[in-house]
Amino acid sequence: MHAFTIDLEEWFCTHNFQGIIAYEDWDKLESRIGGQTEQLLELLDKYHVKATFFVLGWVAERHPELLQSITRAGHEIGSHGFSHQLTWQHSRESFKQDLALSTAAIQAVLGSRPTAFRAPAFSVIKQTDWAIDVLKESGYETDSSVYPVSVHPEYGIGDAPLAPYRWANGMAEIPLSCVQYYNKRIPISGGAYFRFMAYPLYRKLVKQLEKEARKLNFYIHPWEIDGDIPKVKGLSYQRRLRHYTGLAQVKPKLERILGDFEFTTLSNAFQS
C-alpha cells in the first residue's frame, strides 16, 4: 500500500507567494481551508483511505476543529512547521523555535504531540541537514522532507537514496518518490508534478515504482482541489505556472488514483 499525505496549509501560505503576501497579513485574507479539507475528507472516506496530514502550526491554532475532524476520521497527524518558512531561511535556533511552536499548537488541540515532520517545500537540503538533529532533539522520529532530485531550484538532494533510509542520528527518512530513467530521476510524488502530468503517464510511472517493489509517497495540498483560489498578482511566470496550472483537474485525477491504487498513512505504508 502506498502513502497518501496532505500538507495542511491555507492557499496563501505557500512559498510561491513569499515576498508578495507577508506572513503578518495572513490573518487578513480569506480562509478557504475548511471547505477544501472537508472535500478531501469526503474523498478519502469514499475510498476507505486513511492518510497523514502534515499540519502547519499556524493553521492548528486558528482551526482546531479541522484537526479534531481529521483525527476523528482516523487519520494521522504530523507537523509541517509553524510559519511555513523554508528550512534554509532559518537559523538552527529559529528552526527549533518554529518547530516547538508547531508541536505545541498541535498538542494543545489533540492532547498528543506529532512524531513525523515534513519541511515546507521539502527544504531539508544538504546545507540544512542540521535540521535532522534538531528534529531528533525535539522528539521527532520520522522525517519526510527530502526530495531526491536536482531539478528544482529551491529544494532537493540529488544523490539521496530513493528508498527509505536512516540518518546518522537514527532519524528515519521517508523521501519523496522518484522514478529512475537511465541517469535521470523523475519526481512523481504529487503536487505540481501530479497536476502537470497526463494521468495515464502518471499511472504508468506509479506502476513502474511497484515493479521496483517501491511505494509511492504521495502528497497534495488542500488548495490544489480548489480551482477558485484567488489569483495573486506579481508572481513570476514560473511561479504562476507552478501554482495555478491544472487545479481544475486535480479532484477528478484524485478520484482516479484512489480508485487505481491502495493507500494508507505514511507510518503504515513505511513501517520499519
Side-chain angles (χ1 to χ4, degrees), residues 53 89 109 204 213:
F53 286 71
Q89 295 173 320
V109 177
K204 181 178 180 180

Side-chain angles (χ1 to χ4, degrees), residues 200-255:
L201 173 60
Y202 192 86
R203 183 180 184 275
K204 181 178 180 180
L205 293 174
V206 177
K207 287 288 187 182
Q208 181 61 39
L209 272 188
E210 292 184 331
K211 288 179 183 178
E212 298 171 8
R214 293 197 289 127
K215 299 177 181 181
L216 176 67
N217 183 1
F218 182 83
Y219 75 93
I220 203 77
H221 302 89
W223 54 263
E224 289 184 276
I225 67 166
D226 185 352
D228 294 322
I229 57 172
K231 298 297 189 290
V232 174
K233 296 180 180 179
L235 292 176
S236 68
Y237 172 76
Q238 183 185 46
R239 289 195 174 191
R240 188 169 66 252
L241 186 72
R242 198 161 62 212
H243 197 77
Y244 290 107
T245 298
L247 294 179
Q249 299 304 314
V250 169
K251 194 169 182 181
K253 287 170 83 172
L254 285 177
E255 293 262 10

Side-chain angles (χ1 to χ4, degrees), residues 160-175:
L162 296 177
Y165 60 95
R166 288 192 180 273
W167 293 85
N169 66 3
M171 175 74 65
E173 181 65 46
I174 312 298

Side-chain angles (χ1 to χ4, degrees), residues 101-174:
L101 286 173
S102 169
T103 306
I106 294 169
Q107 189 166 9
V109 177
L110 302 181
S112 58
R113 49 161 299 138
T115 59
F117 176 80
R118 174 171 290 155
F122 318 113
S123 53
V124 171
I125 58 177
K126 285 184 177 180
Q127 293 88 337
T128 62
D129 59 5
W130 46 260
I132 299 301
D133 289 330
V134 175
L135 287 169
K136 184 74 171 180
E137 294 161 7
S138 302
Y140 282 80
E141 299 171 2
T142 303
D143 181 63
S144 183
S145 303
V146 172
Y147 223 134
V149 295
S150 55
V151 296
H152 197 281
E154 296 176 324
Y155 63 71
I157 301 178
D159 58 354
L162 296 177
Y165 60 95
R166 288 192 180 273
W167 293 85
N169 66 3
M171 175 74 65
E173 181 65 46
I174 312 298

Side-chain angles (χ1 to χ4, degrees), residues 34-81:
Q36 296 163 352
T37 303
E38 184 178 338
Q39 288 185 64
L40 280 173
L41 289 173
E42 290 173 354
L43 194 58
L44 293 170
D45 182 63
K46 177 180 177 179
Y47 289 94
H48 310 291
V49 169
K50 302 303 180 189
T52 298
F53 286 71
F54 287 102
V55 178
L56 200 67
W58 187 92
V59 169
E61 275 193 350
R62 286 152 180 81
H63 299 281
E65 75 288 349
L66 276 186
L67 271 69
Q68 292 162 352
S69 295
I70 290 165
T71 54
R72 276 198 304 270
H75 302 291
E76 183 175 59
I77 299 291
S79 169
H80 197 40

